[in-house]
Amino acid sequence: MSSAVERIRVVASFAWLEALRTRLPWIAAAMALMLFGAALFARALAITEAGRIQAGLFAAGSRFAAVFVVCAHVLASMQRENQDKVTEWLLSADITRAQYLCGKLLGYGTVALTTAALLALPLAAVAPAGAWSAWAVSLALESLLVVAAALFCAVTFGHLMLAAAFVLSFYVLSRTMAAVVLIARSSLLDDGSWTRDAAVLAVRAVELALPDLDRFTRTAWLLGEGAPWAELPGLGAQTAVYVLLLFAAAGFDLYRRNQ
């Protein structure tokens, strides 16, 4: 057991060192400062509700930046390892594929948590402490979900752009699925035909298969709406379930391709 934990720790440390060598924390910090400066500029232009506008713009920008940075780093890192045959070299050593994936998930997860913390930190200056801390935790959970999805796509798809397109589609669809369901179930579209009912069932099935990212990292929390801490346990459970599912799918594909 101790040797397995040590192998996982070594793989995770490699992933973390790569993030340091590519200056990823500095990139995340620079993006946070630029977003905060843009939010300050928008605040100066606002006539009313200046604080709410500043918090809302920064929250939306930092959420997108966290997802983009984490996804790009995981996919580029895995692609580079595959091209340099590092993955084959590691798997030929005394390490199982499950330990390799666990190490990668742990290393990239640490990178995602650091990125989320750096991007959420400036928001503490303009948002209530309770709402900001809950929002930051939710951003970290959302980043972990993106890490799991990107790791699965990097293992499953050999092409960088195909993997990136899949992760982006997964994230956007998960973010907008609640709105799609509301549109599909609208009475304005109800013509009484079986095709409409079939379409609603299909949309509902897709919604059940995807994480409800519409509930994650909501800007409304920063504006004093809702009870974010009451929602965090459900979001944490949802994150754990989908991370485990994506990890299992990546492991299945890795074992299948390297038998």
Side-chain angles (χ1 to χ4, degrees), residues 8-76:
I8 293 173
R9 187 195 65 79
V10 169
V11 175
S13 64
F14 284 161
W16 173 249
L17 285 175
E18 183 178 10
L20 293 178
R21 288 168 181 165
T22 55
R23 305 293 191 273
L24 188 65
W26 293 107
I27 293 173
M31 294 181 72
L33 290 176
M34 287 189 292
L35 288 170
F36 192 72
L40 280 177
F41 179 72
R43 178 191 177 101
L45 295 178
I47 299 176
T48 59
E49 302 289 350
R52 295 168 66 90
I53 291 175
Q54 181 185 4
L57 287 176
F58 181 84
S62 58
R63 184 175 62 238
F64 173 79
V67 170
F68 173 78
V69 168
V70 168
C71 176
H73 174 71
V74 173
L75 294 179

Side-chain angles (χ1 to χ4, degrees), residues 38-109:
L40 280 177
F41 179 72
R43 178 191 177 101
L45 295 178
I47 299 176
T48 59
E49 302 289 350
R52 295 168 66 90
I53 291 175
Q54 181 185 4
L57 287 176
F58 181 84
S62 58
R63 184 175 62 238
F64 173 79
V67 170
F68 173 78
V69 168
V70 168
C71 176
H73 174 71
V74 173
L75 294 179
S77 174
M78 293 294 291
Q79 181 76 4
R80 184 162 48 249
E81 284 194 3
N82 289 332
Q83 291 176 348
D84 296 341
K85 306 300 181 182
V86 175
T87 303
E88 295 181 7
W89 174 77
L90 284 173
L91 295 179
S92 65
D94 186 20
I95 182 173
T96 65
R97 291 166 176 81
Q99 292 168 358
Y100 169 76
L101 280 179
C102 282
K104 284 295 183 182
L105 184 62
L106 179 60
Y108 292 142

Side-chain angles (χ1 to χ4, degrees), residues 105-177:
L105 184 62
L106 179 60
Y108 292 142
T110 304
V111 173
L113 293 178
T114 304
T115 302
L118 289 172
L119 285 167
L121 189 59
L123 196 59
V126 296
W132 168 80
S133 54
W135 188 91
V137 171
S138 179
L139 181 63
L141 296 175
E142 188 172 346
S143 300
L144 289 176
L145 263 175
V146 173
V147 165
L151 185 61
F152 163 72
C153 292
V155 171
T156 303
F157 305 112
H159 197 276
L160 178 63
M161 292 305 298
L162 181 60
F166 189 93
V167 176
L168 180 62
S169 301
F170 170 81
Y171 180 79
V172 172
L173 195 59
S174 299
R175 266 280 173 190
T176 59
M177 204 63 214

Side-chain angles (χ1 to χ4, degrees), residues 174-179 211-218 235 238:
S174 299
R175 266 280 173 190
T176 59
M177 204 63 214
D212 190 9
L213 288 183
D214 185 57
R215 295 173 54 200
F216 284 69
T217 326
R218 296 174 56 197
L235 300 183
Q238 191 175 165

